[in-house]
Amino acid sequence: MALVDIQVPDIGDFDEVTVIELLVKPGDTVKAEQSLITVESDKASMEIPSSHAGVVKELKVKLDDKVKRGSLVLTLEVAGAEAIPVPAPAPAAAAQQAPAAAAQALPASQSTPASAATAPAAAASGPIEVRVPNIGDFKDVAVIEVLVKVGDSIKAEQSLVTVESDKASMEIPSSAAGVLKELKVKLGDIVNIGDLLAILEGSAAPVAATAAAPAASAPAVATAAMPAHESTALPQTALPHASPSVRKFARELGVPLAEVKGRGPKGRITLDDIQAFTQAVMTGSTRTQAQAAKAPAPSVGGGGAGLDLLPWPKVDFTRFGPVERQDLPRIKKISAANLHRNWVMIPHVCNHDDADITDLEAFRVQMNKENEKAAIKITMLAFLIKASVAALKKFPQFNASLDGDQLVLKQYYHVAFAADTPNGLVVPVIKDADKKGIVQISQEMGELAKKARDGKLSPADMSGACFTISSLGGIGGRYFTPIINAPEVAILGVCKSQMEPVWDGKTFQPRLMLPLSLSWDHRVIDGAAAARFNAYLGQILADFRRVLL
Ligand code: CAO
């Protein structure tokens, strides 16, 4: 075993670069060419690979340290035969003999293009060809971002595209000023030295040292990636701040980097940020812009929720006791995503009230007795649907949906009801409930509830609702706060009715009281309207003749 110092190799013109990522820690076994740290300048980030295989003994840098050629990165314990000492901080020429990995990441210097190479004619006005300058040992690098578009006025040294290899990403600045006439590359194109990037037209004053003149010293990547003048500002369209390995990870997962909030130093996007973003999209708590664009119009103008939430806690439950894991049924997965979105995106408020259904329940029981032989049982829920239709007619903003800045007021009355099934909650819809009687509604509800339990509801059975009722009356409880079924704007929850002493002004009377819980979208409805809606519903349920008025 021998200890080997791993140093920052020739990184070209970079005076000092910042350590933005530590990719290994003491005790880690690293392979030759494995990236150890990521460093970054204004315009480029690159990973510094190990020249040897071995075990990390000691890290000699920490985050935000400034390093340059020759700075000690770490010490590595290396098996005897492999312990060839790392070359001393190499001047450009020596860097060519540096271990392959280092040479790959930080190409040896061959020329000094301060920016993209310009054809000799560039000095004159007229069309100017901008070509990929000498970018060192890089071959076949991918264009990962196009920072300009045809018609843009380009300043000399303004970044045109970003290219990326396995280990480094860099912006290629323009060698001249002018108006962009033609872009010769697009995202994903593979480019090499000398490839035509763009054609500019106009006042072409190429920047000094633009000609792709070979130079004895000063490396390529650095000069291609970094502007000659430190003061050159990043273009507005600059890439989000992330190292090449993070970019690669994001690409593999299809994560749009521009939408990820970086929580690393100076807003840098880290692997954890990519993971947190992916998790948020998967759980439905956020959407990518592409998803938002494809999705039906949200219930208010705008895209995803963009919540700045902590990652979901990861707990090893077996530390506390035995557990069993079960896959969520398909319906639960679908409803979970919808419920989560609705809960997060709709500002819910819930009003509770009670309706006196003493007479209505007596009537319902009487009807069912009279029609004992009939297969159709009249249910309280059918009355609730009918009463809700009357309330929706009286308060049309409850029979509505938000579409951007507009409220869509519906002139039809389709009422959904939540049905509990062994596989999860489903929400079938009674269409045109205003045109149907209590018996027909009861019958349809029975059929739909059976279909739900048998898992045979079609998408048509579950679409088009204006308002939903969730009844726990057959089970129990007093009140609850149902989640609105977007893009509806309200939902009525009902619990189990019970006899209660109700003061009639002179004495307490035993009355059958039905607890009502109305959740409403505060963007559309206000508290007074909700209180009136509940009160009206209560009046109808107390005396159903009001429906006829
Ligand atoms: N108060 C007191 N008793 C009630 C009642 C109420 N509000 N509502 C129903 N009941 C009684 C019924 O009268 C019936 O009693 P009998 O058998 O003696 O006649 C019993 O409860 C069972 O009713 P039901 O549940 O079969 O019928 P329903 O019309 O009330 O409901 C359905 C049908 C499909 C809505 C129901 O089976 C169901 O799935 N409910 C659960 C919905 C749910 O999970 N909601 C929560 C969603 S989270 O937001």
Side-chain angles (χ1 to χ4, degrees):
M1 288 287 179
L3 286 182
V4 170
D5 284 343
I6 307 289
Q7 297 169 329
V8 175
D10 183 354
I11 48 174
D13 260 5
F14 289 85
D15 254 2
E16 276 191 331
V17 285
T18 309
V19 176
I20 62 163
E21 239 177 345
L22 303 175
L23 304 169
V24 293
K25 57 183 185 321
D28 282 359
T29 302
V30 298
K31 297 188 189 125
E33 298 192 15
Q34 183 176 331
S35 298
L36 303 175
I37 59 172
T38 309
V39 295
E40 188 179 60
S41 74
D42 259 15
K43 294 273 176 178
S45 61
M46 65 201 73
E47 291 170 14
I48 308 260
S50 180
S51 48
H52 294 75
V55 176
V56 177
K57 257 329 225 185
E58 202 183 339
L59 265 174
K60 298 288 191 184
V61 289
K62 56 184 190 323
L63 283 181
D64 282 338
D65 275 2
K66 303 276 183 216
V67 294
K68 55 186 176 191
R69 193 179 69 185
S71 299
L72 199 54
V73 175
L74 52 81
T75 48
L76 202 63
E77 196 170 57
V78 176
E82 298 184 37
I84 306 158
V86 172
Q96 280 180 324
Q97 281 102 52
Q104 182 194 351
L106 304 161
S109 318
Q110 285 151 3
S111 64
T112 322
S115 48
T118 312
S125 58
I128 309 157
E129 288 187 350
V130 181
R131 292 180 178 275
V132 177
N134 185 341
I135 46 175
D137 269 2
F138 285 83
K139 273 201 189 114
D140 299 333
V141 288
V143 175
I144 60 162
E145 198 160 56
V146 176
L147 303 165
V148 290
K149 59 182 186 321
V150 171
D152 282 359
S153 282
I154 309 290
K155 295 190 188 120
E157 296 185 10
Q158 180 175 337
S159 298
L160 300 178
V161 296
T162 308
V163 295
E164 186 181 60
S165 74
D166 263 13
K167 304 271 178 187
S169 60
M170 68 203 79
E171 292 173 18
I172 305 224
S174 178
S175 49
V179 174
L180 184 60
K181 280 288 158 205
E182 255 182 275
L183 251 176
K184 294 293 190 182
V185 290
K186 58 183 186 324
L187 273 187
D189 278 1
I190 303 295
V191 295
N192 279 294
I193 299 171
D195 285 354
L196 188 57
L197 280 183
I199 297 180
L200 305 183
E201 191 167 271
S203 57
V207 287
T210 303
S217 62
V221 172
T223 46
M226 289 188 75
H229 312 299
E230 288 297 328
S231 58
T232 304
L234 279 171
Q236 293 221 312
T237 46
L239 275 178
H241 220 29
S243 68
S245 55
V246 170
R247 289 179 193 293
K248 187 162 179 256
F249 185 52
R251 271 203 308 278
E252 281 165 5
L253 294 177
V255 169
L257 218 47
E259 294 176 36
V260 180
K261 188 174 163 52
R263 290 183 183 76
K266 296 180 192 154
R268 190 176 304 116
I269 299 167
T270 64
L271 279 181
D272 285 349
D273 294 330
I274 304 287
Q275 271 160 348
F277 183 89
T278 311
Q279 193 173 26
V281 170
M282 295 306 284
T283 56
S285 66
T286 195
R287 293 188 294 179
T288 62
Q289 282 170 15
Q291 282 174 328
K294 273 190 210 154
S299 47
V300 77
L307 294 176
D308 194 10
L309 296 176
L310 288 174
W312 192 255
K314 270 193 170 174
V315 177
D316 176 9
F317 300 103
T318 57
R319 281 173 50 219
F320 306 106
V323 296
E324 181 203 330
R325 284 185 177 269
Q326 288 180 349
D327 286 334
L328 281 179
R330 197 180 64 88
I331 290 179
K332 272 239 161 81
K333 281 191 210 156
I334 296 168
S335 59
N338 281 297
L339 288 165
H340 194 168
R341 177 203 55 209
N342 300 347
W343 177 249
V344 164
M345 292 187 76
I346 302 173
H348 283 71
V349 185
C350 195
N351 280 36
H352 302 291
D353 209 336
D354 297 299
D356 184 338
I357 57 163
T358 317
D359 298 338
L360 185 60
E361 176 62 2
F363 176 68
R364 187 185 77 85
V365 170
Q366 178 65 29
M367 285 297 104
N368 280 336
K369 242 188 214 156
E370 283 177 19
N371 299 303
E372 221 160 352
K373 289 198 185 103
I376 303 157
K377 183 175 142 191
I378 295 174
T379 66
M380 181 52 69
L381 197 47
F383 284 106
L384 283 163
I385 289 175
K386 204 69 190 162
S388 296
V389 168
L392 292 173
K393 284 187 173 172
K394 190 164 174 77
F395 303 98
Q397 74 267 42
F398 285 78
N399 195 40
S401 285
L402 267 176
D403 186 7
D405 289 337
Q406 287 194 319
L407 196 60
V408 181
L409 293 154
K410 293 156 201 171
Q411 288 160 8
Y412 54 87
Y413 299 88
H414 303 336
V415 179
F417 63 97
D420 189 26
T421 79
N423 288 324
L425 195 66
V426 288
V427 192
V429 183
I430 303 282
K431 304 271 164 53
D432 297 315
D434 56 318
K435 299 186 181 126
K436 292 172 183 166
I438 298 288
V439 176
Q440 189 180 350
I441 292 175
S442 295
Q443 181 183 358
E444 281 189 26
M445 264 184 48
E447 289 163 3
L448 287 168
K450 181 171 184 319
K451 268 176 132 181
R453 283 192 298 273
D454 296 345
K456 292 190 174 153
L457 284 175
S458 67
D461 289 330
M462 293 186 280
S463 51
C466 308
F467 181 78
T468 296
I469 302 179
S470 176
S471 171
L472 295 173
I475 303 167
R478 292 292 285 159
Y479 303 96
F480 67 117
T481 52
I483 298 177
I484 296 165
N485 194 13
E488 296 157 37
V489 292
I491 180 170
L492 178 69
V494 290
C495 283
K496 194 175 180 69
S497 57
Q498 61 183 41
M499 293 303 288
E500 287 177 22
V502 176
W503 184 252
D504 70 358
K506 288 188 191 131
T507 176
F508 282 104
Q509 298 287 346
R511 306 297 297 177
L512 186 64
M513 303 303 288
L514 177 72
L516 304 175
S517 301
L518 181 74
S519 293
W520 40 277
D521 183 337
H522 210 337
R523 296 169 300 178
V524 177
I525 294 159
D526 55 35
R532 286 191 192 107
F533 185 96
N534 267 352
Y536 184 68
L537 204 58
Q539 284 177 352
I540 290 177
L541 293 168
D543 187 346
F544 228 80
R545 290 172 302 182
R546 288 176 184 271
V547 167
L548 303 171
L549 297 176

